[in-house]
């Protein structure tokens, strides 16, 4: 007989919950994930008793099938409703009134054999925003108690649950103005449904007489030697019975097992904190540390934990953790920085957002975290505690991406929160404070095992109220051991003093020299927790998905709608267009505008990251606002909504290479940067300068050494009187090239109107002149490629040879299917490259094998001054 998918999921859940202790003693603990076989329906009449619930629930005619987690809009779009809503301005005309009604989520589930000593609990990791919860026709919780996006709920259902045919129905009500909801702020339109739904996992947990909860491992490292570490195991044990219980807590990390006797009074809950003083094996020699991207391996460990009494395992748990030490410091200038395992590091990151309807999948999350790693970034800022599960944080752990996690400025401004806010935001009343504290407690306990999370954000644009700050501080001291930031902005708390970070903008285009010249606003000093050089125009194929064909050119209101939804700025592409017009010349059509936007975006993004790297140690951190987009957008993204990289993606990758040569626009010098853990000796920088007609003007080789995690000037450039190409190549002591960089520089400087600076940007009053690039002579490129299968990937090597005496400028490589759609993810080791006269470059690309269409894939090579090439890839 064929088992139902529901039964299979149940059996697998039971199997894996018991697997760590198979072959030991009977295990009474089981976790059953209620993920599949849900149905959702709009309820136009609010129900108030179990009888009416049963009547409606049995009418399945209008139910939509779904899984959980999901929001209502996520359910509706998955069921084929709301097609093409992101095209043009379609979104703004959609009817929201149906979400004024409540919506029902319903499922049925079975339980394994239930013993008298079992305690059965129903868990909700996230409900948005209010809910009435019914089980087997009985109301077990109502909306006056079940509310708050970031609270977690559990209910003892031991007296209600049955072995077969449990019926669970959850009536969801959306957040109202003034509620502390998920925040997309001004980045995009608000979700039609305000993300109402069961947006995080639901599960049933069956324990024996004693349960375990909130298990965690905290670490302390000898940062002087990195040769020893001390672990602390934390867990909460709960006696569900009215009798005294004696038992043993048994843990295992690697091959080391430990035992700790525990005696519990009737109904007692006790927080255990076991250190190396009680458990000798929690002292670790030569630990495998967790390092962030480009500093080392993000090593992870596992702790298996169980509680035994009466020759039975009453509950068990398994968690993943990392051994690492996080500290903070202040520079002499008063800027806060962070230390990982005793090493001062430059935070290099970007701001994350979930999909507008919270529809990210494990595959889309994995692709995006691989992108972050590939761009040589080491940090993500989660403004809002994003994620419909812990998956995104698991991936940060896996790929070595540090995470800044906390509250959004959605709660700090009346126009987004929907109720009056003061200098401390919208958390004002005692009820607000209690909700914030409960929410933060639940989130820290839920996420604290992740070594990637290195700081909690307790505010965004504003400070929390002093009395709330004190409560936050006491809470974190009790349950966690990592630092926190009160706000992302330059503020001073009356409780704890200066925060030490800044959020002074800009968020709109500034030319590359801004970051090197500015000393008052967002420039390359201190820790800029969010900033951006503005719009990052997506690839042309994405634009054609966003904008109706008859509105593609010239730029119009359909384009404007896909900029930000700020009430005060960034509502159109006027600045981007003006910069193109004034610096590169006006565009005659969409293709030219797209190409010039790529060039503009590349140099802007390079300048921002390179400025902060060249100013180490005065600079301590930079967060690009943003990484990605919740919906199809022209602003603040390193890859677009369709997961296609912008030119800024590859500018970011190159700018953040561990060892790099950087042109300082303000000092006219070449800086070397070394962000590895090792000093580098006997390096060589090869510096070549050509004019725009490809006449060689200068060629120099400079030898130098550089210490770990620092920057230094290695060469002073001559003043140039015409536009030039600057080519930089870095070689290690074995003569192997380890980095390259390329600039197009104007003899006419970008000059800022500093008197008109504001948080959005600093306007230019004089512009660099790159119009000569429009007259670049044609260059010719010959192409040879090879493809081979390496594991689960296809590895493509493309050798490009410039066969004439003219520089080939801004070459883009892409892989498409037979319909000319880009294949992604495709990880090129370099892109948007320039090739000097008679130079040869080999570019590598790795593509998941299952994405490559045999004999139908194409390699497309295009550029500023070369003819487009299309090669059919012969993949065997």
């Amino acid at each position: 007989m064929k088992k139902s998918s529901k039964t299979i999921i149940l059996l697998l859940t039971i199997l894996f919950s018991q697997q760590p202790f198979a072959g030991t003693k009977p295990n009474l603990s089981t976790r059953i994930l209620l993920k599949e076989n849900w149905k959702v329906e709009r309820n136009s009449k609010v129900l108030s008793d179990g009888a009416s619930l049963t009547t409606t629930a049995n009418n399945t005619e209008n139910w939509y099938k779904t899984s959980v987690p999901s929001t209502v809009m996520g359910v509706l779009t998955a069921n084929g409703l709301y097609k093409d809503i992101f095209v043009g301005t379609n979104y703004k005309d959609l009817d929201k009134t149906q979400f004024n009604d409540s919506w029902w989520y319903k499922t049925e589930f079975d339980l394994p054999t239930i013993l008298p000593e079992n305690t059965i609990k129903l868990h909700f990791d996230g409900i948005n925003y209010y809910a009435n919860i019914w089980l087997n026709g009985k109301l077990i919780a109502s909306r006056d108690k079940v509310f708050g996006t970031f609270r977690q709920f559990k209910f003892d259902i031991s007296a209600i649950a049955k072995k077969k045919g449990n019926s669970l129905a959850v009536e969801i009500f959306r957040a109202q103005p003034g509620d502390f909801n998920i925040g997309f702020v001004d980045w995009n339109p608000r979700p039609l449904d305000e993300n109402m739904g069961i947006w995080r996992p639901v599960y049933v947990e069956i324990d024996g007489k004693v349960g375990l909860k909130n298990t965690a491992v905290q670490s302390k490292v000898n940062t002087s030697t990195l040769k020893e570490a001390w672990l602390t195991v934390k867990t909460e044990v709960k006696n569900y019975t009215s009798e005294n219980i004696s038992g043993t807590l048994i843990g295992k990390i690697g091959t080391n097992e430990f035992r700790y006797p525990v005696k519990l009074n009737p109904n007692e809950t006790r927080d255990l904190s076991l250190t190396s003083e009680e458990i000798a094996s929690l002292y670790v020699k030569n630990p495998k540390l967790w390092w962030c991207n480009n500093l080392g391996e993000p090593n992870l460990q596992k702790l298996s934990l169980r509680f035994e009494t009466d020759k039975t395992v009453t509950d068990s748990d398994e968690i993943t953790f990392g051994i690492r030490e996080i500290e903070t410091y202040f520079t002499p200038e008063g800027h806060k920085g962070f230390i990982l395992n005793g090493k001062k590091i430059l935070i290099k990151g970007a701001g994350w957002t979930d999909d507008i309807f919270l529809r990210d999948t494990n595959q889309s999350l994995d692709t995006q975290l691989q992108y972050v790693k590939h761009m040589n970034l080491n940090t993500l800022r989660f403004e809002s505690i994003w994620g419909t599960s812990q998956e995104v944080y698991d991936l940060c752990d896996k790929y070595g991406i540090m995470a800044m996690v906390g509250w959004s400025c959605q709660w700090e401004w009346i126009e987004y929160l929907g109720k009056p806010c003061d200098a401390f935001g919208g958390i004002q009343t005692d009820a607000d404070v209690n909700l914030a504290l409960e929410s933060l407690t639940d989130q820290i306990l839920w996420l604290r095992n992740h070594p990637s999370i290195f700081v909690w954000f307790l505010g965004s644009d504003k400070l929390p109220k002093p009395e709330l700050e004190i409560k936050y501080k006491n809470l974190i001291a009790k349950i966690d051991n990592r630092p926190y930031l009160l706000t992302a902005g330059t503020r001073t708390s009356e409780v704890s003093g200066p925060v030490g970070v800044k959020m002074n903008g800009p968020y709109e285009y500034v030319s590359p020299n801004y970051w090197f010249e500015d000393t008052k606003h967002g420039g390359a000093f201190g820790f800029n927790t969010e900033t951006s050089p503005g719009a990052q125009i997506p690839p042309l194929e994405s634009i054609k998905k966003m904008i109706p064909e008859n509105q593609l050119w010239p730029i119009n209101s359909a384009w404007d709608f896909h900029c930000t939804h700020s009430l005060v700025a960034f509502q159109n592409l006027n600045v981007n267009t003006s910069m193109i017009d004034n610096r590169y010349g006006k565009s005659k059509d969409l293709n030219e505008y797209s190409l010039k936007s790529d060039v503009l975006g590349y140099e802007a993004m390079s300048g921002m990251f390179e400025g902060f790297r060249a100013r180490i140690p005065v600079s301590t951190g930079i967060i690009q606002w943003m990484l990605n987009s919740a919906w199809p957008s022209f602003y603040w993204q390193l890859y677009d909504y369709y997961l296609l990289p912008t030119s800024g993606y590859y500018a970011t990758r190159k700018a953040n290479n561990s060892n790099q040569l950087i042109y300082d626009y303000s000092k006219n010098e070449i800086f070397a940067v070394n962000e590895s853990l090792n000093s580098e000796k006997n390096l060589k920088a090869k510096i070549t300068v050509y004019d725009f007609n490809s006449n060689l003007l200068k060629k120099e080789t400079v030898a130098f050494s550089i210490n770990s995690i620092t920057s230094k000037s290695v060469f002073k450039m001559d003043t140039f009187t015409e536009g030039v190409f600057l080519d930089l190549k870095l070689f290690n002591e074995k003569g192997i090239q380890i980095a390259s960089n390329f600039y197009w520089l104007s003899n006419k400087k970008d000059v800022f109107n500093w008197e008109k600076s504001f948080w959005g940007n600093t306007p230019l009053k004089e512009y660099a002149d790159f119009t000569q690039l429009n007259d670049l002579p044609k260059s010719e490129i010959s192409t040879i490629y090879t493809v081979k299968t390496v594991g689960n990937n296809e590895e493509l090597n493309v050798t490009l040879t410039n066969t004439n005496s003219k520089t080939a400028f801004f070459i883009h490589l892409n892989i498409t299917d037979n319909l000319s759609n880009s294949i992604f993810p495709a990880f090129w080791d370099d892109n948007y490259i320039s090739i000097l006269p008679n130079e040869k470059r080999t570019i590598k690309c790795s593509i998941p094998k299952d994405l490559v269409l045999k004999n139908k894939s194409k390699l497309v090579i295009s550029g500023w001054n070369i003819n487009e090439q299309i090669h059919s890839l012969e993949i065997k």
Side-chain angles (χ1 to χ4, degrees):
M1 184 177 71
K2 183 178 180 180
K3 293 185 174 68
S4 69
S5 59
K6 178 174 69 176
T7 304
I8 292 171
I9 291 170
L10 173 63
L11 291 174
L12 288 173
T13 305
I14 295 172
L15 172 64
F16 284 107
S17 69
Q18 296 181 347
Q19 190 177 15
F21 307 110
T24 55
K25 298 181 179 181
N27 191 343
L28 299 183
S29 68
T30 303
R31 175 178 286 197
I32 303 163
L33 184 64
L34 304 183
K35 180 178 180 180
E36 305 297 340
N37 300 307
W38 286 81
K39 295 180 179 180
V40 171
E41 183 191 35
R42 177 184 178 186
N43 178 31
S44 57
K45 180 180 179 182
V46 178
L47 305 180
S48 58
D49 58 69
S52 56
L53 166 68
T54 303
T55 301
T56 301
N58 288 334
N59 178 16
T60 60
E61 183 177 336
N62 298 317
W63 292 85
Y64 298 101
K65 293 182 179 180
T66 191
S67 59
V68 163
S70 60
T71 65
V72 173
M73 274 300 295
V75 173
L76 298 181
T77 55
N79 279 271
L81 283 73
Y82 295 100
K83 295 181 179 178
D84 298 326
I85 60 173
F86 293 153
V87 176
T89 60
N90 290 348
Y91 190 87
K92 71 178 182 180
D93 299 322
L94 297 176
D95 179 21
K96 300 180 182 179
T97 58
Q98 63 178 312
F99 305 112
N100 294 334
D101 298 327
S102 62
W103 285 70
W104 287 99
Y105 281 67
K106 181 181 182 295
T107 191
E108 294 183 353
F109 62 92
D110 299 333
L111 296 175
T113 301
I114 303 172
L115 303 175
E117 58 264 44
N118 283 140
T119 298
I120 308 171
K121 292 188 180 294
L122 176 64
H123 291 254
F124 291 84
D125 281 349
I127 293 175
N128 195 15
Y129 189 83
Y130 302 89
N132 293 322
I133 302 173
W134 303 76
L135 182 64
N136 296 332
K138 182 175 180 179
L139 181 68
I140 62 172
S142 58
R143 61 173 294 176
D144 60 329
K145 301 293 185 183
V146 181
F147 64 89
T149 305
F150 296 101
R151 292 174 68 197
Q152 297 187 338
F153 304 95
K154 67 174 181 178
F155 308 99
D156 190 333
I157 59 171
S158 303
I160 309 171
K162 51 189 181 182
K163 190 173 186 298
K164 297 287 185 181
N166 291 282
S167 177
L168 174 62
V170 185
E171 185 182 12
I172 301 289
F173 304 82
R174 73 169 177 84
Q176 300 298 312
D179 287 334
F180 298 98
N181 192 10
I182 293 170
F184 289 95
V185 202
D186 58 359
W187 317 334
N188 45 266
R190 295 182 78 113
L192 294 175
D193 61 349
E194 295 293 334
N195 291 138
M196 67 185 299
I198 303 177
W199 75 291
R200 279 180 174 162
V202 180
Y203 57 94
V204 175
E205 195 166 57
I206 302 175
D207 296 332
K209 294 179 179 180
V210 174
L212 301 176
K213 183 182 177 185
N214 298 325
T215 301
V217 178
Q218 296 173 353
S219 58
K220 185 169 181 59
V221 176
N222 183 332
T223 56
S224 297
T225 67
L226 304 183
K227 297 296 185 182
E228 55 184 350
W230 300 265
L231 307 183
T232 298
V233 174
K234 292 179 174 287
T235 194
E236 178 185 295
V237 290
K238 168 69 175 178
N239 181 359
Y240 293 118
T241 75
S242 56
E243 59 189 49
N244 293 315
I245 289 183
S246 295
T248 304
L249 185 69
I250 304 171
K252 187 176 183 180
I253 299 175
T255 59
N256 294 321
E257 185 174 275
F258 63 84
R259 293 172 175 263
Y260 187 80
V262 179
K263 293 183 179 180
L264 297 170
N265 296 323
N267 301 305
E268 180 185 3
T269 300
R270 186 186 305 173
D271 289 320
L272 294 180
S273 184
L274 307 181
T275 70
S276 57
E277 294 181 359
E278 291 95 358
I279 308 295
S281 62
L282 297 182
Y283 169 71
V284 183
K285 290 185 176 181
N286 300 312
K288 291 184 176 180
L289 300 178
W290 187 92
W291 289 99
C292 68
N293 188 31
N294 285 342
L295 275 190
E297 292 299 316
N299 294 296
L300 296 172
Q301 326 285 331
K302 287 191 182 295
L303 164 69
S304 298
L305 200 66
R306 67 186 187 269
F307 190 88
E308 289 186 4
T309 185
D310 297 332
K311 300 181 180 179
T312 300
V313 176
T314 67
D315 199 4
S316 60
D317 203 357
E318 184 173 278
I319 63 168
T320 300
F321 67 97
I323 302 176
R324 58 99 178 98
E325 177 96 0
I326 296 292
E327 301 169 277
T328 62
Y329 71 98
F330 281 90
T331 69
E333 299 83 7
H335 306 306
K336 177 166 282 188
F338 287 85
I339 300 171
L340 174 63
N341 299 330
K343 307 297 182 181
K344 292 180 180 179
I345 56 173
L346 177 68
I347 301 298
K348 299 174 297 184
W352 174 277
T353 179
D354 281 5
D355 171 80
I356 189 172
F357 303 136
L358 309 188
R359 297 172 300 180
D360 290 303
T361 65
N362 288 354
Q363 181 176 345
S364 72
L365 292 175
D366 188 68
T367 295
Q368 293 182 78
L369 266 294
Q370 287 190 65
Y371 279 169
V372 175
K373 180 179 174 66
H374 188 245
M375 282 186 281
N376 291 315
L377 298 175
N378 60 22
T379 301
L380 285 177
R381 181 182 169 195
F382 295 85
E383 184 183 339
S384 195
I385 302 177
W386 290 112
T388 57
S389 70
Q390 295 196 37
E391 178 69 17
V392 69
Y393 305 103
D394 290 337
L395 291 167
C396 286
D397 296 342
K398 174 182 176 181
Y399 291 120
I401 307 302
M402 298 188 296
M404 312 170 74
V405 179
W407 302 138
S408 168
C409 69
Q410 173 96 1
W411 299 0
E412 297 172 343
W413 300 99
I414 184 173
E415 54 266 52
Y416 306 118
L417 179 58
K419 74 173 186 178
C421 299
D422 60 17
F424 300 105
I427 302 175
Q428 298 181 8
T429 67
D430 289 344
D432 294 341
V433 168
N434 290 336
L435 176 60
L437 285 169
E438 286 186 42
S439 299
L440 185 64
T441 301
D442 287 347
Q443 297 306 297
I444 291 179
L445 291 175
W446 190 57
L447 295 173
R448 66 179 178 174
N449 273 312
H450 295 280
S452 56
I453 299 176
F454 72 100
V455 67
W456 303 111
F457 257 114
L458 306 183
S460 180
D461 296 8
K462 301 179 180 181
L463 291 166
K465 296 174 65 174
E467 54 267 39
L468 178 56
E469 177 187 341
I470 293 170
K471 292 181 178 180
Y472 277 153
K473 179 180 178 181
N474 293 338
L475 166 66
I476 294 173
K478 181 179 179 181
I479 64 175
D480 198 41
N481 67 337
R482 73 198 80 197
Y484 61 85
L485 283 173
L486 293 172
T487 177
T490 307
R491 298 184 182 274
T492 298
S493 163
E494 65 182 62
V495 175
S496 54
V499 177
V501 299
K502 66 177 183 177
M503 192 181 66
N504 302 331
Y507 296 88
E508 189 63 274
Y509 179 86
V510 289
S511 54
N513 55 316
Y514 171 90
W515 310 98
F516 297 86
E517 294 179 9
D518 174 66
T519 58
K520 295 181 179 179
H521 307 290
F525 60 93
F527 185 1
N528 198 336
T529 58
E530 59 175 70
T531 191
S532 178
Q536 282 285 319
I537 308 301
L540 195 54
E541 67 180 277
S542 295
I543 296 175
K544 292 178 178 179
K545 294 177 183 178
M546 300 160 52
I547 306 298
E549 185 175 0
N550 63 352
Q551 294 179 286
L552 280 171
W553 189 259
I555 295 172
N556 52 68
S557 59
W559 289 61
D560 295 345
F561 190 65
H562 288 268
C563 294
T564 82
H565 280 246
S566 169
L567 300 177
V568 294
F570 328 121
Q571 299 163 338
N572 52 55
L573 291 173
N574 290 352
V575 173
N576 190 77
T577 303
S578 174
M579 293 302 112
I580 289 174
D581 292 350
N582 283 286
R583 300 173 83 246
Y584 290 92
K586 291 187 177 182
S587 305
K588 64 180 181 294
D589 56 27
L590 176 59
N591 288 331
E592 185 175 341
Y593 185 83
S594 175
L595 177 58
K596 288 182 175 179
S597 291
D598 285 345
V599 174
L600 187 82
Y602 189 103
E603 62 160 353
M605 197 62 68
S606 289
M608 183 183 70
F609 280 109
E610 289 179 352
F612 276 80
R613 297 193 72 207
R615 293 291 185 266
I616 297 172
V618 174
S619 58
T620 58
I622 171 68
I623 299 293
Q624 147 66 14
W625 204 254
M626 302 173 65
L627 173 78
N628 55 351
S629 293
W631 84 313
S633 175
F634 291 111
Y635 259 83
W636 300 339
Q637 57 195 354
L638 294 174
Y639 52 87
D640 68 22
Y641 179 73
Y642 307 103
L643 300 186
L644 297 183
T646 67
S647 65
Y649 176 106
Y650 282 96
T652 299
R653 172 174 167 78
K654 176 162 284 188
N656 288 307
N657 196 68
S658 290
N659 292 99
Q660 187 55 283
L661 297 172
I662 291 171
Y663 174 68
D664 186 320
Y665 287 82
S666 66
K667 297 181 178 181
N668 197 29
E669 297 178 12
I670 307 300
F671 272 73
V673 181
N674 175 21
E675 284 193 83
S676 72
L677 292 178
N678 301 312
S679 296
E680 299 285 353
K681 297 181 179 180
N682 302 319
L683 299 179
K684 288 185 178 180
K686 290 190 176 181
I687 302 161
T688 310
V689 182
Y690 283 84
D691 66 18
F692 286 165
N693 289 316
S694 295
N695 297 308
L696 179 64
L697 302 180
K698 177 180 283 293
K699 196 168 187 178
E700 297 278 353
T701 299
V702 180
F704 65 95
S705 298
I706 186 170
N707 292 329
S708 171
I709 311 181
T710 192
S711 67
K712 64 182 290 187
S713 176
V714 296
F715 187 75
K716 176 70 175 179
M717 295 286 291
D718 297 330
T719 301
F720 41 88
T721 58
E722 57 188 317
V724 300
F725 293 129
L726 170 63
D727 183 75
L728 305 175
K729 291 183 173 65
L730 181 63
F731 297 83
N732 65 16
E733 61 182 344
K734 296 180 180 179
I736 299 172
Q737 183 177 316
I738 58 174
S740 67
N741 217 340
F742 188 89
Y743 298 85
W744 47 104
L745 303 172
S746 170
N747 61 313
K748 186 179 179 183
K749 301 295 184 183
D750 290 297
V751 180
F752 290 97
N753 191 342
W754 297 109
E755 294 76 16
K756 292 189 177 181
S757 289
F758 77 110
W759 61 269
N761 84 324
T762 299
L764 288 170
K765 59 183 180 181
E766 296 181 25
Y767 301 89
D769 183 4
F770 294 111
T771 55
Q772 282 181 277
L773 294 174
N774 296 316
D775 300 319
L776 279 186
K778 279 284 187 179
S779 184
E780 296 178 3
I781 295 293
S782 69
T783 303
I784 299 175
Y785 72 86
T786 60
V787 184
K788 65 177 180 179
T789 301
V790 180
N792 294 322
N793 296 323
E794 298 288 355
E795 300 288 350
L796 175 65
N797 280 11
V798 181
T799 299
L800 303 176
T801 303
N802 187 340
T803 59
N804 68 9
S805 60
K806 304 302 178 183
T807 299
F809 179 58
F810 211 69
I811 299 171
H812 178 226
L813 299 93
N814 195 26
I815 300 174
T816 68
D817 61 19
N818 59 326
L819 299 176
S820 298
N821 297 311
S822 295
I823 294 176
F824 69 92
F827 298 98
W828 296 92
D829 61 9
D830 200 357
N831 214 327
Y832 299 95
I833 63 172
S834 297
I835 305 180
L836 297 175
N838 304 306
E839 183 182 48
K840 180 185 294 186
R841 288 284 307 275
T842 298
I843 310 299
K844 298 180 180 180
C845 182
S846 177
I847 321 158
K849 184 165 56 177
D850 58 354
L851 295 180
V852 181
L853 304 177
K854 291 186 177 180
N855 302 317
K856 294 182 180 180
S857 300
K858 297 177 181 179
L859 169 64
V860 181
I861 302 171
S862 59
W864 186 279
N865 63 331
I866 66 169
N867 293 324
E868 183 179 76
Q869 302 178 19
I870 301 177
H871 303 270
S872 296
L873 290 178
E874 297 180 3
I875 300 175
K876 298 179 181 180

